[in-house]
Every structure is written in structure tokens, then in C-alpha cells.
Amino acid sequence: MNKIFIKLSVLVVTLTLGISSQLFISRLSTEFESFVLTPISPPEILQTENAVIPLDVDVEFDGTTNYGESLKVKLIQTGSFHSDEVPYRSGEKWLGLFRNGGTYYLGETAILVKRSIEEDLLDTEVSTKNPNNSVFLLRNSTGLSNGGVLTVFDRALGENGSFTNKNPKRFKLNWHFWTLRVENAGVHGYLQKGSALVLERDGIDRQVLRYLPDGCNDCSGSLLWAGDLDHDNNLDLLLDLSGHYNSYEPTLFLSSEAKPGSKLVEIVAGFTGVGC
């Protein structure tokens, strides 16, 4: 009798386990099928490479403006030019940013303008009486004083002045972090239709320096110099914002001239020259 009872108990337990296992497997299979068949949306990815600048954005640099003519402050660099690009005379007093070894300073100097007697397109040579190398020269500038200038970049020393969104220029100046980059760059970082040159401070404050809604004729953007020219602990820039492959437009952006809360820098001087 006991043996029969034990056998019946084992049979009941076996049947119970079998039915439970089948129910579990059936439920698991149903949930798995539901999981597989339910579509999952991919996470949203920010496409900074193809960022779109609003049409009403306040852009600092206007490619149709000749800043060398329209602004009171004049800018020039030493070197060779076309005679009509240099309406200045020897002996005029200018304020120059000079490099002496690894230090930089602002100081007054007299310029030397020499016209060539040879028939050459670049028939005018500009230099200074200062024995140190000049980065650039300013005339009619106000708010700038003689003395040392903190410099974080100088292309004349062989540094690469190009920048893109994948390879931006980053600087630490005093207690701020600055980034200069291109949004919506073309192949190999070249400017194209819809490209924008953007300056950022501490990853929060942002200003569009240049925008190309319609593209350009092989235009370019290159950093020439960066530092604190006006001693306000913010970044100042000298950028070449050429609008054509055979031209150059060094343009000076000063932070002290910018309206607080709306801009990081403002254009104070520029120069437009062409090649051969």
C-alpha cells in the first residue's frame, strides 16, 4: 500500500512539474516574440557637422564690408603691397604689437614706406624703425596702452592657423577657456555653403563671427594671432577672413569693444589686400 502511495505521489509531482514547465516555456516564448517584434527607436544624435545657423543671427563679420575703409582704426602689417593699398607715409606714428624672443609688447613706432622704382605689382614695402618683429600695426586706436601683451598663439612662429569643428583651436586665457571652430565644414575642413565660424567661451557663451549662407569663391579662415591685447582678461583675435583665393583680410577682434551680454568680441580694424 505504501509503495502504491509513493508511486502515485511521484507521478503527481512529475505531472505537476511538467505542466508548470510547459506553461513557463510558453509564456517565456510569447514574451520573447513580443520583445523581438517591438521596434525600438535609436537615440537622437546631434549633427553638429551639419548645424544650421538661423537666418536672423547677429553675425560680426560682413564679407561685403571693407573694414580698412569704413573703420577709424587702421591696421597694417609689414611686408610688400600694392601702392594703392598703402595710403600712408614714412614717419607716421603707429602702435605696434612686437615680438621680442618669447615676449610680446605694445609700443609706438614710426613706419617706413618705400616705393619701388621697378615695375612690380607689389611695389610698396612697409617696415618699422623698431628692431623687433611686428605682428601688426594700428593707427588711431584708443583704449590700448604700451606694455606687455599676453599671447597664446602666433602663426608667424610656424603654428598652424587653420581650424575646423573636428580640429578646433582651444586656448586657456587667465580663468577662461576659449574655442574657435567651424560649424558645417566641407571636405577636409574647407568652408562651404552654410559654414559658420564660431567663438565660444567656457562652453557657454557663443558668438558667430562669420556665416556663409551662400558659400564663397574659395574663401578661407585662418588664425594669425590670439591673446589679450586690451588687458581685460578676455581673448582678442587677429583673423584672416579672405573672401577669395587671391586676397587676404586680416581683421582684428577686440573683447573690450564688445557689448557685455551680447558679444564676446567686436571688429575694430581690418585690411584688404590682393596677391599678384
Side-chain angles (χ1 to χ4, degrees):
M1 186 70 178
N2 290 336
K3 292 183 179 179
I4 296 174
F5 177 77
I6 293 173
K7 289 182 179 179
L8 289 174
S9 299
V10 172
L11 179 61
V12 171
V13 171
T14 302
L15 291 173
T16 302
L17 290 175
I19 294 172
S20 299
S21 299
Q22 289 181 355
L23 290 174
F24 176 76
I25 294 172
S26 177
R27 182 178 179 182
L28 182 63
S29 176
T30 301
E31 292 182 355
F32 179 76
E33 290 178 357
S34 175
F35 172 78
V36 172
L37 296 177
T38 302
I40 300 177
S41 300
E44 182 181 357
I45 300 175
L46 297 178
Q47 299 292 338
T48 56
E49 180 75 17
N50 299 314
V52 177
I53 306 299
L55 295 178
D56 59 348
V57 69
D58 185 14
V59 179
E60 184 64 20
F61 179 85
D62 181 359
T64 64
T65 300
N66 187 324
Y67 292 103
E69 295 180 355
S70 63
L71 296 177
K72 178 182 177 181
V73 180
K74 305 303 177 184
L75 180 148
I76 199 171
Q77 295 175 282
T78 57
S80 300
F81 305 90
H82 298 272
S83 58
D84 60 349
E85 297 171 349
V86 187
Y88 312 120
R89 298 180 180 179
S90 292
E92 294 177 349
K93 298 295 183 180
W94 288 61
L95 182 66
L97 176 63
F98 292 95
R99 179 178 62 252
N100 182 15
T103 62
Y104 294 77
Y105 66 93
L106 278 171
E108 291 185 353
T109 185
I111 64 169
L112 301 173
V113 181
K114 183 180 179 181
R115 313 290 181 183
S116 174
I117 59 175
E118 300 179 1
E119 292 186 2
D120 191 352
L121 291 175
L122 302 176
D123 58 359
T124 301
E125 186 77 19
V126 176
S127 60
T128 76
K129 290 187 176 182
N130 191 312
N132 296 136
N133 295 318
S134 68
V135 181
F136 56 86
L137 302 161
L138 299 172
R139 188 182 183 190
N140 302 327
S141 60
T142 58
L144 299 178
S145 57
N146 294 346
V149 173
L150 177 61
T151 293
V152 295
F153 179 89
D154 185 357
R155 196 181 72 171
L157 298 181
E159 299 183 72
N160 186 357
S162 63
F163 47 87
T164 67
N165 58 337
K166 293 183 179 179
N167 296 290
K169 290 295 184 186
R170 302 184 190 276
F171 304 106
K172 182 180 183 298
L173 184 71
N174 298 311
W175 54 84
H176 290 300
F177 293 90
W178 300 81
T179 302
L180 186 65
R181 61 186 174 84
V182 172
E183 288 186 356
N184 191 32
V187 179
H188 304 302
Y190 292 115
L191 299 177
Q192 63 173 358
K193 182 177 181 180
S195 292
L197 170 59
V198 177
L199 178 66
E200 292 180 341
R201 180 177 61 188
D202 299 329
I204 302 174
D205 302 313
R206 181 177 185 272
Q207 182 180 2
V208 178
L209 302 184
R210 184 185 192 184
Y211 179 44
L212 300 169
D214 302 315
C216 58
N217 186 1
D218 195 24
C219 59
S220 62
S222 179
L223 180 62
L224 303 178
W225 176 88
D228 186 9
L229 193 71
D230 48 24
H231 305 109
D232 69 345
N233 298 319
N234 285 304
L235 191 69
D236 305 310
L237 302 166
L238 182 67
L239 290 163
D240 183 1
L241 300 178
S242 170
H244 189 271
Y245 70 90
N246 193 38
S247 68
Y248 54 99
E249 296 185 44
T251 307
L252 181 62
F253 297 77
L254 287 187
S255 54
S256 58
E257 296 295 326
K259 183 182 296 185
S262 61
K263 294 182 179 181
L264 296 174
V265 292
E266 184 168 323
I267 295 175
V268 297
F271 179 88
T272 300
V274 297
C276 299

